[in-house]
Amino acid sequence: MTNLKGYMGKVLFVDLTKKTYGEFPWTDEDRKRTIGGKVMAADILLQHIRPGMKAFDEDNWLVITTGPLTRCKTPSSTRFNISTVSPLTGILTSSNCGGPFGRRLKKAGWDAMVITGKASELTWIEIEDDKVEFHDVPEMKGMLTGEISKQFKGGISPLTIGPAGENKVLYAGVFSGERTAGRGGVGAVFGDKKLKLITAKGSKNPEIYDQEKLDEIIEQWKMQLLRHPITGAQLSKLGTAGLVAPMQAHRILATKNFSDGRFDNFEKVSGEELTEKYLVGNGNCYSCPMRCERRVKVDGKNVKGPELETLGLLGPNIMNDDIEKILRWNYELDELGMDTISCAGSIAFAMELQEKGMWDSGLEFGKTDNLSEVFKLIANREGIGDILADGTKRMSEKFGGKEFAIHAKGMELAAYEPRGAVGQGLGYATANRGGCHLNAGYMVVLEGLGLNMNSYTAKGKASLAIMFQNTMEAASAAGCCVFTSYAILPWFIVAKPTSIMTRVVQQAFKFLTPILYIGMQYPEILALNIPLIQYPRAINAATGSKYTMGTFIKAGSYGYNVERVCNIILGLPVGKDTDTLPKRLTDEEQVPGVKKTKVPLEKMKKSYYIIRGWKDGAPTMRMIKKLGIKLPECAKEVYPYGKG
């Protein structure tokens, strides 16, 4: 149990092989150190993983975590996280979801659950308060995610996989309602464990430390989000799809397998096009005032529409300008249970292999009438789908083309072309789970999608990337949607991008490295809280903790470093190959003859490692001790800086 409020005070441990369950030990000291969410999951996995562990090993753990703000009605705080060893990358992955399962799990009295073992039959884990039951469900084999959801009424929303997960597609996702924990293949680990679905229901609610104070913070936070140009206007009006046009303007829109940053027919797949012709309403995650979800019709059904990533990667990146096809594909991929980002990236790479005569898959840029059938082939691992199901990295090892295989650490990149935003390129390369725009620190928000900081300069990008990575890591640990972090940028700066004040701030960012270095190395000096950054204030009111801005950001740094230590134990190479991008992005100019239009990765990495307190991409023992990370015994054998 716990003396802290906001938490339920218990972690469920489930063994699928033995069909047993119990309580996993987790103390208040652990809660304060990690906050919750993905940081908590990384800390749990650090003490369990071993060198050579693979995603489909029986003892690979699935760790599902919530945050202290989950179910506390704070804005956009319905998020939960799934972490495990990734079948796509071979290292740690964490996948975040805004569906209702996290709230249901806390309602049943659990902050998190740890799952080990493998079932002998396709299995449903049913949680109701303190009781857990295991059901064999062979009749659910091959069922689509939507079909599973229809089986349950009365507020029960299953956490489930589709056929792609059952067949261990390496980028299969896990679905809660229409929301996806999509990245890194967590659905394939569910499938390998023969875990088809989990349900949770109960009668409990977290006790709040200071409800009056929390209510005051909630109202302030909502107003802050609603008056902000990004979180209050753009996301509500156009959703993330509204970024297509500014990405085009800044040469950030991935086009033809990242060979360019602009697409001639971008208007046809833009947020404006989606809103004007296809939008039937807005949706939102629980307690979210931003309402960025797009609702559209597919075959007469009101369904969740595509996010920016899906529009970009199944649009310009495969040379497709038919938005109606993207609406349908988005729905089909969700039903089959796949990550649209990695699936689309794998198809774009296959199209370029076809164009260059390196693999005859029948997939061609601009010819997309067969893609619905291709998605089914991938989900069922049939024909060319069996190859596409393994992702871009493995295809490049089989057919060649590594220089234009667009991934980082084995994970396909999101839709932002980093030669038009080099700080985002640094983020992709250093992100712990691979080519993720959010784990990267989402630097594009400074490089054209919020502010107009020089997107080609390397100056200041390392320190800013670290600051955003740590802050977003901590926000996610709290149970919040990372979109709320956009509002940290003062609204009046974002609203007036050409004003003198905004230009001064943008120029100042390039010279903040010494200040940010001190803040990252000694976060305890930031012993204050301000309304602009609401997370620590809300956590304190909900739990009774005493986080400051400094200790909050330190928790994010702790999580980022723990994830990196886990990756090294799992086999991430240390040295020049640790944090890389394909040569197309680092060696080839996006605009021929314009030298600045490629990612100066090595230059930025040098600063990044110094500021992080890393050597060759690995946290040094000094940083490990400073953060209080407890290295497991197995780390002494493989960790490069484990002595002294």
Side-chain angles (χ1 to χ4, degrees), residues 266-475:
F266 77 94
E267 298 100 332
K268 294 183 178 181
V269 294
S270 67
E272 289 79 2
E273 181 81 358
L274 177 60
T275 298
E276 290 170 12
K277 296 184 179 179
Y278 302 99
L279 188 71
V280 297
N282 284 25
N284 65 299
C285 298
Y286 176 79
S287 78
C288 179
M290 292 183 284
R291 298 182 60 80
C292 70
E293 181 186 294
R294 310 288 88 188
R295 304 299 301 179
V296 299
K297 288 286 184 72
V298 174
D299 293 336
K301 301 175 185 176
N302 185 317
V303 300
K304 177 177 67 66
E307 301 285 348
L308 174 277
E309 310 304 331
T310 308
L311 282 170
L313 295 171
L314 286 174
N317 206 43
I318 61 170
M319 302 302 285
N320 166 57
D321 62 8
D322 189 335
I323 195 170
E324 290 189 21
K325 287 183 177 179
I326 301 175
L327 303 186
R328 175 174 296 278
W329 295 337
N330 180 69
Y331 174 66
E332 291 172 346
L333 286 166
D334 281 357
E335 288 288 281
L336 292 166
M338 280 186 276
D339 172 25
T340 59
I341 296 176
S342 282
C343 183
S346 299
I347 286 171
F349 180 62
M351 287 176 170
E352 186 158 357
L353 288 174
Q354 176 82 28
E355 184 176 75
K356 288 180 163 57
M358 299 170 73
W359 178 37
D360 185 10
S361 64
L363 295 170
E364 299 181 44
F365 287 116
K367 296 183 179 180
T368 58
D369 289 344
N370 62 338
L371 283 192
S372 289
E373 184 59 34
V374 170
F375 296 150
K376 293 177 184 177
L377 292 176
I378 295 172
N380 292 295
R381 280 192 171 272
E382 296 173 351
I384 62 168
D386 192 36
I387 296 172
L388 288 162
D390 285 338
T392 300
K393 180 177 183 290
R394 287 170 177 80
M395 283 196 290
S396 72
E397 292 166 349
K398 184 178 182 69
F399 300 112
K402 291 183 179 181
E403 65 278 9
F404 58 87
I406 308 300
H407 70 86
K409 299 182 179 71
M411 181 181 282
E412 287 74 14
L413 267 58
Y416 307 97
E417 218 282 41
R419 290 177 295 180
V422 300
Q424 183 66 31
L426 172 66
Y428 279 142
T430 57
N432 284 322
R433 72 174 182 175
C436 167
H437 56 303
L438 299 175
N439 199 222
Y442 205 66
M443 284 292 290
V444 286
V445 78
L446 300 181
E447 296 176 303
L449 304 186
L451 299 182
N452 288 312
M453 182 182 181
N454 186 331
S455 58
Y456 297 110
T457 183
K459 289 182 179 179
K461 297 297 173 67
S463 54
L464 288 165
I466 293 168
M467 181 183 73
F468 273 76
Q469 285 171 338
N470 289 350
T471 303
M472 293 173 80
E473 194 88 352

